[in-house]
Amino acid sequence: MHFTWASRPRLYGVFAWPEQISVLREALGTPRTNLHVLRGPGGVALLDSIGMRGGLLARLHRFLQGMTDERSEITLYRQALEQGLLVVLVDMPRDDAVTKARLRWAFQQAGASSVHYYGRFVNEALTI
């Protein structure tokens, strides 16, 4: 499940074109297993923005997120998917400033918008 209390450090971003993902892969030099693409109705279901797939605990978590900025960011990603855009996430191999800066640069090179870093108990907007 995305955006949970025990989430792994990740960067999320929105892309308009599939070709941008190739640019991102090249800039990252990251194995395919670290990069995930959410698209269309299947992506919306995987994002689980209201917690329906995760049961009562997930719905409670989403309710609590409603009191934070994270809820609006999850909604932004859901809306992007509903508009036919792509949401790409990259699992960070290490949760440190150097890795985050390198991934941020790669997302910018590929033309991503709405780039956010999500770590344990923290989220940070990285889009300039």
Side-chain angles (χ1 to χ4, degrees):
M1 190 167 111
H2 297 272
F3 304 101
T4 65
W5 283 314
S7 61
R8 294 180 301 233
R10 292 179 169 158
L11 261 66
Y12 282 77
V14 175
F15 291 85
W17 308 105
E19 296 80 15
Q20 291 174 292
I21 297 169
S22 297
V23 175
L24 177 63
R25 281 190 176 116
E26 187 176 314
L28 286 172
T30 302
R32 220 170 223 255
T33 56
N34 291 352
L35 187 142
H36 309 276
V37 180
L38 303 178
R39 68 181 79 214
V44 171
L46 285 172
L47 192 60
D48 195 21
S49 62
I50 57 174
M52 294 308 294
R53 292 182 65 211
L56 182 60
L57 187 57
R59 286 191 296 279
L60 175 61
H61 185 155
R62 292 295 188 245
F63 174 77
L64 294 173
Q65 284 174 324
M67 295 180 251
T68 69
D69 291 340
E70 193 170 297
R71 178 63 168 192
S72 64
E73 294 157 4
I74 295 170
T75 300
L76 179 139
Y77 291 130
R78 180 181 46 86
Q79 290 172 341
L81 291 167
E82 290 171 344
Q83 294 170 6
L85 300 173
L86 306 168
V87 174
V88 176
L89 63 116
V90 174
D91 292 319
M92 293 176 61
R94 286 181 312 284
D95 192 5
D96 61 40
V98 172
T99 302
K100 184 171 40 170
R102 182 178 67 80
L103 292 175
R104 176 186 183 184
W105 176 86
F107 271 73
Q108 289 173 337
Q109 292 301 304
S113 63
S114 303
V115 178
H116 288 87
Y117 159 77
Y118 295 91
R120 191 174 303 264
F121 304 115
V122 65
N123 62 341
E124 177 184 354
L126 299 180
T127 306
I128 296 176

